[in-house]
């Protein structure tokens, strides 16, 4: 008999995500990728005729859990501005029936930040004490949530140009996220002497230049969906130790990697490792004779793994 999938709305997803260990689920996912127990194809772009928009589809298989999934995200052009949504569908690899349809908005925020947290935990110096965050939106706040307990941070500094327009209540809400958090007046002041710098912006172009840092640091970047978006100058990749979430797909999508390869002689084969390598201990924690760059583009499997965890919780 055909089955009707369980539907999880955005408010339900937010409530359920608070009940699971998101970073731990992602650690297992990347170990499964390393062990060949998960499949992550490249993302698929389906464009509408006459420039009316597109769908980006992110597919994946979690063999151990018997789940196939697809996250599909439309970009619909409208007079009043583009409409962007995202939904994740899970299907059983045993019965071929749909299991779950989940609004992916909360999943995307959580998995983006938690993937960075897994990278910080595996890559940052064990004695790192100074954390810098560029950005102040939901994704930046989620980054802070997932990394605040990973090291003995003595200082946490945050900067975003949008803070200039915030009212006192909004600024107080930001400061309440962690007692160590201070709001900086400039990007330069935020990253000064930082051990870890998390770039959490929607900028399509560079927001920091690693060559200006006073000491080697771990720089993490998520960037945005704009074509060839990047948060560091592409040529800077040649001077850093580069890691990514998944080396099979990231170099073909990350803006700074594409530009660095085409214009600055950078070779994707110089990527030191990805999260499957790090979590399976095929690659060791880097030394810091120069800065370390971690680039995440976001994998459909991350959404699928979290959606599956919510499905199991509901069951």
């Amino acid at each position: 008999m055909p089955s009707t999938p369980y539907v999880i709305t955005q408010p339900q997803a937010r409530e359920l995500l608070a009940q699971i260990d998101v970073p731990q689920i992602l650690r297992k996912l990347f170990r499964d990728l390393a062990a060949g127990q998960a499949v992550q194809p490249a993302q698929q772009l389906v464009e509408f005729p006459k420039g009316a928009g597109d769908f980006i589809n992110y597919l994946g298989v979690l063999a151990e859990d018997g789940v196939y999934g697809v996250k599909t995200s439309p970009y619909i052009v409208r007079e009043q501005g583009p409409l962007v949504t995202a939904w994740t569908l899970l299907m059983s690899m045993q019965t071929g029936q749909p299991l779950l349809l989940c609004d992916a908005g909360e999943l995307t925020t959580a998995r983006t930040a938690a993937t960075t947290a897994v990278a910080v935990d595996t890559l940052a110096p064990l004695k790192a004490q100074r954390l810098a965050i560029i950005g102040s939106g939901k994704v930046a706040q989620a980054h802070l949530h997932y990394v605040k307990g990973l090291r003995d941070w003595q200082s946490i500094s945050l900067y975003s140009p949008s803070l200039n327009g915030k009212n006192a209540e909004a600024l107080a809400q930001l400061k309440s996220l962690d007692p160590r958090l201070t709001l900086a007046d400039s990007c330069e002041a935020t990253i000064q002497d930082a051990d870890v710098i998390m770039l959490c912006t929607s900028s399509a172009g560079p927001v920091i230049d690693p060559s200006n840092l006073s000491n080697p640091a771990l720089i993490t970047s998520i960037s945005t969906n704009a074509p060839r978006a990047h948060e560091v100058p592409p040529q800077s990749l040649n001077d850093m130790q580069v890691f990514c979430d998944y080396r099979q797909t990231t170099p073909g999508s990350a803006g700074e990697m594409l530009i660095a390869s085409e214009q600055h002689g950078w070779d994707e084969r110089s990527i030191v490792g990805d999260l499957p390598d790090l979590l399976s201990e095929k690659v060791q924690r880097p030394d810091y004779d120069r800065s370390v760059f971690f680039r995440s583009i976001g994998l459909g499997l991350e959404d699928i793994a979290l959606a599956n965890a919510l499905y199991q919780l509901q069951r």
Side-chain angles (χ1 to χ4, degrees):
M1 291 286 291
S3 63
T4 301
Y6 190 88
V7 177
I8 295 181
T9 62
Q10 189 165 4
Q12 289 173 306
R14 185 183 306 118
E15 181 182 332
L16 292 170
L17 279 167
Q19 302 176 43
I20 62 175
D21 186 339
V22 176
Q24 192 56 35
I25 290 166
L26 295 182
R27 287 186 186 96
K28 181 184 184 303
L29 163 64
F30 287 111
R31 290 190 182 104
D32 285 349
L33 270 172
Q37 289 296 310
V39 178
Q40 174 63 76
Q43 66 188 45
Q44 174 196 56
L45 173 66
V46 182
E47 296 183 283
F48 298 168
K50 301 178 181 178
D54 60 59
F55 268 83
I56 298 179
N57 301 317
Y58 310 82
L59 315 176
V61 170
L62 298 174
E64 196 174 280
D65 295 289
V67 167
Y68 161 80
V70 54
K71 174 190 176 182
T72 186
S73 180
Y75 177 92
I76 301 171
V77 176
R78 307 181 301 172
E79 284 186 13
Q80 65 270 43
L83 174 67
V84 180
T85 69
W87 287 81
T88 299
L89 172 68
L90 296 187
M91 297 187 68
S92 168
M93 291 168 62
Q94 282 78 45
T95 67
Q97 296 298 315
L99 302 172
L100 176 75
L101 184 63
C102 180
D103 186 302
E106 296 294 328
L107 300 185
T108 302
T109 299
R111 60 88 164 155
T112 300
T115 297
T116 297
V118 172
V120 169
D121 202 23
T122 56
L123 289 170
L126 296 176
K127 295 182 178 179
Q129 294 185 328
R130 297 176 298 277
L131 174 65
I133 304 170
I134 308 298
S136 60
K138 283 181 61 178
V139 174
Q141 294 179 38
H143 272 67
L144 174 57
H145 171 73
Y146 286 117
V147 305
K148 61 186 180 182
L150 295 181
R151 295 291 186 274
D152 183 20
W153 307 115
Q154 299 301 301
S155 67
I156 302 175
S157 181
L158 181 147
Y159 171 74
S160 171
S162 65
L163 292 181
N164 294 329
K166 299 281 188 184
N167 58 38
E169 183 180 348
L171 295 175
Q173 189 274 328
L174 263 180
K175 291 179 180 178
S176 71
L177 296 175
D178 191 281
R180 298 163 293 183
L181 179 65
T182 59
L183 305 182
D185 295 327
S186 69
C187 183
E188 291 74 21
T190 306
I191 64 177
Q192 182 71 30
D193 300 325
D195 297 311
V196 175
I197 302 168
M198 299 193 302
L199 306 179
C200 313
T201 78
S202 57
S203 175
V207 292
I208 71 165
D209 185 345
S211 68
N212 294 332
L213 297 177
S214 58
N215 56 275
L218 169 63
I219 302 164
T220 71
S221 174
I222 56 170
S223 201
T224 187
N225 285 336
R228 299 202 164 197
H230 50 282
E231 295 177 298
V232 299
Q235 62 269 27
S236 68
L237 298 192
N238 287 317
D239 301 318
M240 296 189 287
Q241 301 172 76
V242 178
F243 293 79
C244 64
D245 47 359
Y246 192 45
R247 67 162 81 228
Q248 304 300 323
T249 58
T250 304
S253 297
E256 73 286 341
M257 292 185 177
L258 291 169
I259 297 169
S261 177
E262 294 169 4
Q263 301 179 18
H264 303 289
W266 182 78
D267 192 329
E268 67 179 71
R269 289 174 295 184
S270 67
I271 293 174
V272 181
D274 58 10
L275 287 179
D277 291 333
L278 288 160
L279 289 166
S280 61
E281 299 184 348
K282 293 177 183 175
V283 172
Q284 300 304 307
R285 190 183 304 274
D287 56 32
Y288 276 82
D289 58 331
R290 54 195 171 122
S291 286
V292 174
F293 180 67
F294 172 80
R295 179 62 149 98
S296 169
I297 60 167
L299 305 180
L301 267 179
E302 296 166 6
D303 294 83
I304 291 162
L306 292 191
N308 184 53
L310 300 194
Y311 175 68
Q312 300 298 334
L313 194 61
Q314 278 297 311
R315 293 181 67 195

